[in-house]
Amino acid sequence: MTQSNNIKIVTADPSAIGLFGLAIVTLVASSVKLGWTEGLGLVIPWAIFLGGIAQFYASILDSKHNNVFGTTAFGAYGLFWMGVATSWFVQAGVFGKVLQNSADTHQLGIVYIGYLGFSIFMTIGALETNKVLFAIFFLIDLLFIGLGFSTLGIMEYNMHLLAAYSELAIGLLSLYGAGANVLNKHFGFDFLPIGKPFGVIKPHEKKAISVLSTEN
């Protein structure tokens, strides 16, 4: 006689580690944009491991929760930071002079504009998550507006400042969000408020359609 046992594997909510990864990379990257620090040598490791791997890891865990929103958001932004770090490698000549000399920064501007479009969709979705997450996505929109326009040479100075300050705000708010996610779940109640969903987007009720048949 064969006995089978069912084992339930519970996966923890990865929001905290994902937001922490976003917080650290945006804090250190904004410090360069604001002129508080110099160079990208010690930004790149945090872009890869915190901005990239930590968020992508959170994406994988969120997929096990069947959370399409979290999976897509953490996955897209995790891969974004991996791509940015690789672009910095190319610009620094790590992969050789040929790639370095052929690097056109306007291509990065196109990427930023593409991510802006994606982030706007995610911001709409964040309306029904919590207010802290919505604010983070709204700031991400501002970041990509600043990055995209400044990289394409449009109002370069003002857009650079917009990117710098919005990125700093993303870092601080994401750090708060990470802490709130950990402590709220650890204590079992809202120790740190994150705000309820706005409740402005509601599903439309499907109206019953009556079909009248006429017999001849």
Side-chain angles (χ1 to χ4, degrees):
M1 182 177 179
T2 303
Q3 183 179 359
S4 60
N5 295 321
N6 294 324
I7 300 175
K8 183 179 180 180
I9 299 176
V10 178
T11 303
D13 185 348
S15 299
I17 188 64
L19 286 173
F20 179 70
L22 177 63
I24 295 302
V25 69
T26 49
L27 285 175
V28 68
S30 66
S31 73
V32 179
K33 291 182 179 64
L34 291 167
W36 298 345
T37 63
E38 294 182 1
L40 294 172
L42 294 181
V43 178
I44 290 175
W46 304 102
I48 295 173
F49 289 101
L50 270 295
I53 294 177
Q55 289 198 85
F56 195 72
Y57 174 66
S59 170
I60 294 171
L61 294 185
D62 251 342
S63 70
K64 295 181 180 180
H65 284 267
N66 196 27
N67 182 350
V68 176
F69 186 86
T71 299
T72 306
F74 284 132
Y77 295 126
L79 291 169
F80 169 81
W81 282 106
M82 293 181 193
V84 167
T86 305
S87 298
W88 289 337
F89 278 138
V90 171
Q91 291 176 314
V94 173
F95 300 118
K97 290 292 183 182
V98 174
L99 278 180
Q100 183 183 32
N101 294 335
S102 65
D104 183 353
T105 56
H106 290 97
Q107 292 169 349
L108 285 177
I110 301 300
V111 172
Y112 298 145
I113 296 299
Y115 260 90
L116 170 62
F118 168 76
S119 294
I120 290 173
F121 288 119
M122 301 305 288
T123 305
I124 296 172
L127 282 167
E128 302 308 326
T129 55
N130 59 70
K131 290 183 173 63
V132 168
L133 194 61
F134 171 79
I136 291 172
F137 275 103
F138 180 76
L139 290 166
I140 290 174
D141 295 338
L142 297 182
L143 171 62
F144 282 124
I145 290 173
L147 288 175
F149 285 7
S150 63
T151 305
L152 293 173
I154 303 171
M155 298 176 61
E156 190 169 350
Y157 178 74
N158 291 332
M159 290 297 102
H160 176 82
L161 286 180
L162 175 63
Y165 283 109
S166 59
E167 191 169 40
L168 175 63
I170 290 167
L172 295 173
L173 200 54
S174 296
L175 196 61
Y176 175 85
N181 269 275
V182 171
L183 295 179
N184 291 353
K185 288 180 174 61
H186 180 67
F187 293 128
F189 65 94
D190 289 342
F191 181 78
L192 292 176
I194 56 176
K196 295 181 179 180
F198 285 89
V200 295
I201 300 178
K202 298 178 181 179
H204 294 287
E205 294 182 1
K206 294 182 179 179
K207 296 181 179 179
I209 301 175
S210 60
V211 180
L212 301 177
S213 61
T214 303
E215 293 181 6
N216 295 328

